[in-house]
Amino acid sequence: MEPVLSAVRRPSGTPSVLEIAFTEAVDGADRDDEMAARLLDAAYEQFCRMGIKRSTMTDVARQAGVSRITVYRRFATKDQLVEQVVRREFRRYFDRFIEDVRDAETVADRVVLGFASSLRAIRRNPLIGGLIAAEPDALVPSMTGDEGRTLSVVQQFVASRLRQEQSAGNLSGDVDVDMLAEMMVRVSASFLIIPSHVLDLDDEEQVRAAARQFLVPMLGPPHSPHP
């Protein structure tokens, strides 16, 4: 099975699938219409069950209960369909992250919840998490072969959240949010790609405790805004 990100890699200079998903999540872009959603749901189920490479447009049509022509009217090629499915999953990831940290009371709590949310959302996603579990060696090239663009998009997302914390007076203006986001994203990526024999990623409390002990201190001393 081909790595999911390399299967939808775009030409150099054009926005990546992850970049588009990030923009849609932040901007609250309109979601898919009923038929498109039906086909994407069917493709998602098919890809999770059989994998992307082994699935055909005919399989997706059968799963959706429509003709193959109907699928091709919406998605001219299998690559376009795969891109839309993956894009929707990452859009859901960003949506879930924003929702999970929304009610946290402090920036430290949001970092802890965000770290746990990120690992949980990706690892438990049947499509993306399944690829990580089944072919971890295939995932690394897809994340590093794009000159760091995949990690960069997530870094920009985290940095944008940290800048909001600075603007709200919750984080010192002296903190380099770009470097802080870079460190946090790389820590998360390493846990996703390389199995840990120390941290049990299925233990939510253990994951949160690790984030509070090792990631929260990166925020620096608690910020006290000037009166």
Side-chain angles (χ1 to χ4, degrees):
M1 185 190 310
E2 71 275 29
V4 66
L5 294 181
S6 64
V8 294
R9 188 172 298 154
R10 288 166 159 252
S12 177
T14 62
S16 68
V17 170
L18 202 55
E19 288 171 310
I20 295 171
F22 170 52
T23 300
E24 289 177 341
V26 172
D27 293 345
D30 292 336
R31 296 325 194 215
D32 307 300
D33 60 50
E34 184 176 348
M35 178 52 73
R38 179 178 175 181
L39 295 176
L40 292 176
D41 287 342
Y44 174 80
E45 294 296 330
Q46 176 66 31
F47 296 160
C48 287
R49 188 173 66 253
M50 297 299 295
I52 293 174
K53 189 172 184 178
R54 294 171 59 191
S55 297
T56 67
M57 298 289 264
T58 300
D59 293 329
V60 173
R62 186 181 303 114
Q63 181 75 24
V66 300
S67 68
R68 193 162 66 103
I69 295 301
T70 299
V71 180
Y72 276 108
R73 281 176 181 160
R74 289 304 183 105
F75 306 100
T77 66
K78 179 182 171 182
D79 283 347
Q80 287 184 12
L81 176 60
V82 171
E83 175 178 329
Q84 290 295 322
V85 172
V86 174
R87 182 165 133 191
R88 188 176 67 164
E89 291 311 296
F90 277 114
R91 189 171 70 199
R92 287 173 170 172
Y93 158 72
F94 288 123
D95 286 342
R96 183 73 259 171
F97 182 100
I98 293 171
E99 182 67 26
D100 283 348
V101 305
R102 179 168 292 147
D103 296 329
E105 295 183 356
T106 68
V107 60
D109 289 341
R110 284 186 281 278
V111 166
V112 170
L113 291 174
F115 178 69
S117 170
S118 296
L119 296 183
R120 184 191 331 112
I122 294 177
R123 293 182 72 249
R124 295 183 184 178
N125 183 287
L127 179 61
I128 300 172
L131 285 171
I132 292 175
E135 296 189 53
D137 293 340
L139 186 68
V140 176
S142 71
M143 295 183 70
T144 60
D146 63 353
E147 299 180 345
R149 289 180 65 190
T150 296
L151 286 180
S152 176
V153 174
V154 183
Q155 183 274 340
Q156 291 172 48
F157 173 68
V158 175
S160 71
R161 308 297 297 183
L162 292 172
R163 286 194 181 89
Q164 290 179 25
E165 299 288 356
Q166 281 186 325
S167 297
N170 301 325
L171 186 64
S172 170
D174 295 332
V175 174
D176 184 341
V177 295
D178 287 317
M179 182 56 69
L180 177 57
E182 179 84 1
M183 297 299 292
M184 289 181 171
V185 168
R186 288 187 178 273
V187 169
S188 299
S190 69
F191 276 116
L192 288 170
I193 295 172
I194 306 171
S196 174
H197 296 282
V198 176
L199 180 62
D200 182 358
L201 299 183
D202 292 321
D203 186 329
E204 185 82 4
E205 292 303 316
Q206 192 178 139
V207 170
R208 292 188 184 190
R212 192 167 295 280
Q213 182 176 359
F214 297 104
L215 296 184
V216 169
M218 294 184 187
L219 299 172
H223 184 49
S224 300
H226 295 295

